[in-house]
Amino acid sequence: MFEKVLTRNCSLPRSESVDTYIANGGYQALSKALREYTPEQLIDVVTASGLRGRGGAGFPAGRKWSFMPKDPQVVKYVCVNTDEGEPGTFKDRELVEKDPHQIIEGVIIASYAVGAPRAFVYIRGEFFLGVKRWIKAIDDAYAKGFLGKNILGSSFSLDLSVHRGAGAYICGEETALIESLEGKRGQPRKKPPYPANVGLWGKPTLVHNVETLANVPHIVNRGAQWYAGIGTPKSTGSKIFCVSGHVRNRGIFELPLGVPLREIIYEQAGGMAFDKKLKAVIPGGASTPMLTPQQLDTPMAFETLEAAGSMLGTGAVIVMNEDTCMVDVARRLMRFFAYESCGHCTPCRAGTQRMLEVLERLEGGKGKPGDVESLEEIARGIAGRTFCPMGDAAVNPILSGLKLFRDEYDYHVKYKRCAVA
Amino acid sequence: MMPTELRTVRDPAKRSMLLTALYIAQEQYGYLTREAVERVASRLDLPVTEVYSMASFYSLYRTQPTGRYVLQVCEGLSCHLVGGADRLVDYLSKKLGIKAGETTKDGLFTLETVQCLASCGTSPAVRVNDALYENMTMEKIDELLETLRGYHV
């Protein structure tokens, strides 16, 4: 039985309170980090642990930390990305609502490691309970001396505050998040320069997903070797998988990276609801290409999913049964991307709208010959030509759907209805 | 290499209060009226157009009045797969006699569809003002509407 790391406190009564967190070993890693490690040593520990970003891209956290300039004269910032909005994903909300101090401890250690005296939480505007939990947790952390001046008697000081977003998926992209924090429209910036060089108010900024930061206290407490021993050599540690769709038990399952998709669906989530046949799985949130039942033994890790033609993304597993119309699925996902396109660059802004028009037409029984070809052409015209990764994200479900279920698209054109019931 | 904006904005920290200021104004005025936007602009030393540009970019800001309760039905994929989204919108539409995007005549309810609410494990989800309702069914919708109406008898 795998020992839960990130969600170990989540089922405790009042798990969100600082007292529960401390009673279960909380803030010991912070004390250890401040007393026993220099910032450079901490960066080495996180690098050795192999921790990779959990927001979707999987960038090595230690390398991200090491990119921050070492000059103590340079003002630096840390941002906590709680702008969870990828369809299928609900892990960050759970972590913030159930165990916010675990994240705060990670933020303080990361800020100490990169030498940032100021950190910001950017939270999705819709997460009202999350906002309240963040504020209460930060207040309590100040009261206990974990935040503020001279933390735990050390020379390190850190201020942390909450900034509420206002409804824009794109603000989960790190440079768009920074724009939004600055009080602007959340439109991504050109990279390079990367935030580690030019970030918030032009200063070096470290932006991390909530789940990534939640791993940090455990790495400090139990060591890089222990952490690297979980998962696969290239995808270390545990991951929170969010399972939704046609399974018996939907929800959150924390498992070591590299766990086969089959185990997540059939053991953890109890298998297919109503014993229906499995048709397709989106393994890592709406932006990741679909997998088929033949790929069920794919280990859920960054490198293995990439080899399978998909991505780990946020680890949001959306399971679809035999009765699902794949054109309808594509249409729903495209409604999301068309609505959330920030409008900055034409391929994404206009392309998602054009794709949505075709998909609505197909689903509405008004598909014309040539529509499917045109959909594919638009999708290929967007891929790799947008300002930020959102364009690629929007075409992933379309291109993978067309590859796997082309006959269903053609069926819509020919018979003006879905191939499934 | 400093972005251009930084050289022109006098106080970047002040500007970063814009999202918060819009929330406060929206709460005081009910929605972002012309006056509300002008007040925010003047307090933060920003052009009115700039503030409108922000208000239109972010979906939680409203420049039109809404009902007392805004019912947001999630139409994300995970809600749809378990019989939410369209079915709940249709049901609410029929019950309230309005389409998505409209407000009931008594000014009590506005019906909207929204993208993923991050409740995919407990879908279908409906958000009412700031509260999230999960695992929604038609029966639960009935109960919810009754409770909300009960506050205004």
Side-chain angles (χ1 to χ4, degrees):
Chain A
M1 181 75 190
F2 171 68
E3 178 206 344
K4 285 177 185 166
V5 181
L6 305 171
T7 55
R8 74 197 201 295
N9 288 343
C10 286
S11 53
L12 297 176
R14 285 187 30 81
S15 62
E16 75 279 9
S17 78
V18 69
D19 296 327
T20 307
Y21 188 64
I22 292 172
N24 288 280
Y27 288 111
Q28 282 174 11
L30 174 64
S31 166
K32 186 175 171 187
L34 292 174
R35 276 174 237 270
E36 297 174 24
Y37 292 93
T38 64
E40 290 74 24
Q41 286 171 328
L42 274 175
I43 295 177
D44 291 342
V45 168
V46 171
T47 306
S49 77
L51 173 65
R52 294 171 69 170
R54 302 291 196 246
F59 195 80
R63 260 173 71 201
K64 213 169 183 179
W65 293 18
S66 71
F67 290 157
M68 295 284 283
K70 304 279 180 286
D71 183 352
Q73 299 303 312
V74 177
V75 180
K76 281 159 258 174
Y77 299 110
V78 170
C79 294
V80 186
N81 189 345
T82 322
D83 196 53
E84 178 173 61
E86 175 84 7
T89 316
F90 45 100
K91 63 186 176 71
D92 296 343
R93 185 163 77 90
E94 175 91 357
L95 284 175
V96 171
E97 289 178 3
K98 301 268 175 72
D99 200 358
H101 286 281
Q102 178 178 229
I103 313 162
I104 292 179
E105 191 174 10
V107 178
I108 307 168
I109 295 169
S111 302
Y112 170 66
V114 301
R118 187 78 175 87
F120 299 89
V121 169
Y122 185 91
I123 180 162
R124 202 179 154 182
E126 286 90 341
F127 288 178
F128 198 67
L129 179 62
V131 173
K132 287 202 285 192
R133 289 274 155 92
W134 260 126
I135 292 172
K136 168 84 173 110
I138 290 172
D139 284 350
D140 290 345
Y142 269 103
K144 300 267 183 197
F146 301 128
L147 285 168
K149 287 252 173 294
N150 302 107
I151 295 169
L152 299 177
S154 71
S155 61
F156 179 64
S157 303
L158 177 72
D159 282 310
L160 178 63
S161 59
V162 179
H163 198 92
R164 190 178 169 202
Y169 166 71
I170 195 64
C171 291
E173 194 279 337
E174 58 181 2
T175 60
L177 181 149
I178 288 171
E179 286 283 300
S180 186
L181 261 178
E182 290 183 1
K184 297 173 194 158
R185 291 163 71 103
Q187 291 177 325
R189 293 176 180 173
K190 192 170 171 290
K191 292 199 262 190
Y194 289 90
N197 294 318
V198 182
L200 184 61
W201 298 309
K203 305 286 190 252
T205 304
L206 178 73
V207 187
H208 264 318
N209 171 264
V210 157
E211 191 189 348
T212 317
L213 288 163
N215 277 289
V216 172
H218 305 287
I219 293 170
V220 172
N221 259 336
R222 304 174 70 171
Q225 291 313 315
W226 162 80
Y227 192 84
I230 307 171
T232 73
K234 283 182 178 166
S235 304
T236 59
S238 71
K239 174 85 191 77
I240 303 178
F241 294 100
C242 317
V243 185
S244 66
H246 297 141
V247 289
R248 282 208 181 86
N249 313 317
R250 300 172 294 157
I252 271 169
F253 304 98
E254 184 184 351
L255 296 160
L257 277 163
V259 60
L261 181 56
R262 184 188 299 280
E263 189 184 323
I264 296 180
I265 296 175
Y266 287 94
E267 286 174 39
Q268 305 292 334
M272 300 298 290
F274 310 112
D275 289 318
K276 295 267 185 189
K277 259 173 71 185
L278 174 68
K279 184 171 191 175
V281 184
I282 296 177
S287 332
T288 59
M290 290 182 239
L291 298 178
T292 60
Q294 289 75 41
Q295 291 169 296
L296 271 177
D297 292 307
T298 310
M300 294 288 282
F302 291 103
E303 68 282 8
T304 46
L305 278 165
E306 207 178 308
S310 189
M311 289 186 284
L312 180 65
T314 56
V317 179
I318 307 175
V319 182
M320 293 168 279
N321 69 21
E322 54 191 323
D323 298 336
T324 315
C325 168
M326 299 318 285
V327 181
D328 189 27
V329 167
R331 171 179 72 156
R332 284 181 192 274
L333 293 175
M334 196 48 64
R335 277 190 192 163
F336 170 80
F337 288 113
Y339 182 81
E340 294 292 353
S341 174
C342 82
H344 182 68
C345 71
T346 315
C348 178
R349 181 186 63 238
T352 51
Q353 286 295 342
R354 293 293 91 79
M355 288 196 289
L356 180 60
E357 282 166 17
V358 176
L359 289 164
E360 292 282 6
R361 205 154 62 219
L362 289 172
E363 248 330 271
K366 297 191 174 76
K368 300 174 298 205
D371 267 355
V372 182
E373 290 74 14
S374 137
L375 182 67
E376 190 165 7
E377 193 190 334
I378 305 167
R380 293 207 187 283
I382 296 170
R385 290 185 177 84
T386 54
F387 195 80
C388 81
M390 178 154 159
D392 293 328
V395 302
N396 275 336
I398 301 299
L399 290 176
S400 70
L402 277 169
K403 199 168 101 195
L404 300 170
F405 305 102
R406 175 76 185 223
D407 49 336
E408 277 192 45
Y409 283 80
D410 292 334
Y411 192 96
H412 277 76
V413 175
K414 202 168 168 194
Y415 299 102
K416 316 290 179 202
R417 61 184 171 86
C418 300
V420 292
Chain B
M1 278 230 317
M2 189 179 267
T4 344
E5 298 90 321
L6 278 182
R7 277 174 269 147
T8 50
V9 173
R10 267 165 294 167
D11 183 355
K14 198 168 174 180
R15 163 97 203 213
S16 74
M17 290 314 292
L18 182 47
L19 273 86
T20 308
L22 284 172
Y23 270 127
I24 295 168
Q26 181 159 284
E27 200 166 310
Q28 284 181 3
Y29 286 83
Y31 68 100
L32 293 173
T33 61
R34 173 90 201 176
E35 190 194 332
V37 169
E38 281 171 357
R39 276 185 67 193
V40 168
S42 105
R43 284 289 291 273
L44 297 181
D45 273 332
L46 290 166
V48 174
T49 50
E50 190 75 31
V51 179
Y52 265 118
S53 154
M54 285 290 285
S56 67
F57 184 84
Y58 293 97
S59 65
L60 293 183
Y61 299 130
R62 305 169 183 286
T63 49
Q64 299 294 324
T66 62
R68 175 73 186 78
Y69 300 103
V70 182
L71 309 171
Q72 299 183 313
V73 183
C74 179
E75 58 167 10
L77 179 59
S78 298
C79 282
H80 163 67
L81 291 176
V82 295
D86 296 356
R87 272 181 64 218
L88 290 186
V89 175
D90 290 347
Y91 185 70
L92 274 164
S93 230
K94 216 179 269 170
K95 253 197 109 128
L96 298 171
I98 50 172
K99 283 187 289 209
E102 294 176 351
T103 301
T104 52
K105 281 206 183 74
D106 59 7
L108 215 46
F109 299 108
T110 298
L111 179 61
E112 288 182 348
T113 57
V114 290
Q115 298 304 324
C116 192
L117 288 173
S119 306
C120 315
T122 45
S123 59
V126 176
R127 194 168 164 262
V128 182
N129 296 357
D130 280 325
L132 183 67
Y133 295 85
E134 299 167 285
N135 292 309
M136 287 309 273
T137 57
M138 314 252 177
E139 293 75 48
K140 281 171 139 180
I141 293 263
D142 288 344
E143 276 170 39
L144 177 64
L145 291 183
E146 210 169 294
T147 310
L148 295 176
R149 281 206 178 102
Y151 298 144
H152 299 271
V153 178

